[in-house]
């Protein structure tokens, strides 16, 4: 079992930056694929970014590519999402997720464990 706790969300002006963190506990964390998802009010949850267990493979949704960067520090059991050039459209609750398969996934149904989410609000 893996427990995930997100942090780093907050209120930021358009064009600003935030770095989200996802602290994980539990066995074999370094072997898990990790992903970030977000859900805005009244909208479906959407994929944002994912990273393989080694960090060698990274996927991003088109709307954040070039602005967001996912990374992981397996020694500290932490996954990060650096968000630059934030837009009001990025406002959402951001969730960290872990996939036991260890590969990158872009569909939330594949993920086995989820954090509680951290709120990101971007003002215009």
């Amino acid at each position: 079992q893996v427990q995930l706790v997100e942090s780093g969300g907050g209120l930021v002006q358009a064009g600003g930056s935030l770095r989200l963190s996802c602290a994980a506990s539990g066995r074999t964390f370094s072997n898990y694929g990790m992903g970030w998802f977000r859900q805005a009010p009244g909208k479906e949850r959407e994929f944002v970014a994912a990273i393989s267990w080694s960090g060698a493979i990274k996927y991003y949704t088109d709307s954040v590519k070039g602005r967001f960067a996912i990374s992981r520090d397996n020694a500290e059991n932490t996954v990060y999402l650096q968000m630059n050039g934030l837009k009001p459209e990025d406002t959402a609750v951001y969730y960290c997720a872990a996939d036991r398969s260890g590969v990158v996934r872009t569909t939330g149904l594949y993920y086995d464990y989820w954090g509680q989410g951290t709120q990101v609000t971007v003002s215009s």
Side-chain angles (χ1 to χ4, degrees):
Q1 187 176 24
V2 174
Q3 183 176 2
L4 307 174
V5 180
E6 302 96 335
S7 63
L11 175 64
V12 64
Q13 291 185 337
S17 298
L18 287 172
R19 188 180 73 163
L20 306 184
S21 298
C22 174
S25 61
R27 67 180 184 87
T28 66
F29 171 77
S30 63
N31 295 322
Y32 285 59
M34 302 295 298
W36 286 97
F37 294 78
R38 66 187 181 186
Q39 186 168 22
K43 297 183 179 180
E44 298 293 321
R45 183 178 62 190
E46 67 171 336
F47 167 77
V48 177
I51 186 169
S52 63
W53 71 269
S54 69
I57 302 173
K58 301 174 183 178
Y59 288 167
Y60 300 94
T61 191
D62 288 343
S63 64
V64 308
K65 191 173 183 179
R67 299 188 297 121
F68 291 9
I70 188 171
S71 61
R72 66 191 297 166
D73 185 340
N74 290 340
E76 296 189 356
N77 294 326
T78 303
V79 178
Y80 303 96
L81 184 68
Q82 178 67 47
M83 305 185 295
N84 299 322
L86 284 164
K87 305 175 181 179
E89 295 77 27
D90 296 317
T91 295
V93 176
Y94 284 70
Y95 297 92
C96 176
D99 176 11
R100 291 177 295 178
S101 74
V103 302
V104 291
R105 307 278 198 174
T106 61
T107 300
L109 293 175
Y110 287 111
Y111 287 82
D112 302 290
Y113 306 102
W114 294 83
Q116 297 300 308
T118 184
Q119 177 71 48
V120 172
T121 302
V122 184
S123 62
S124 60

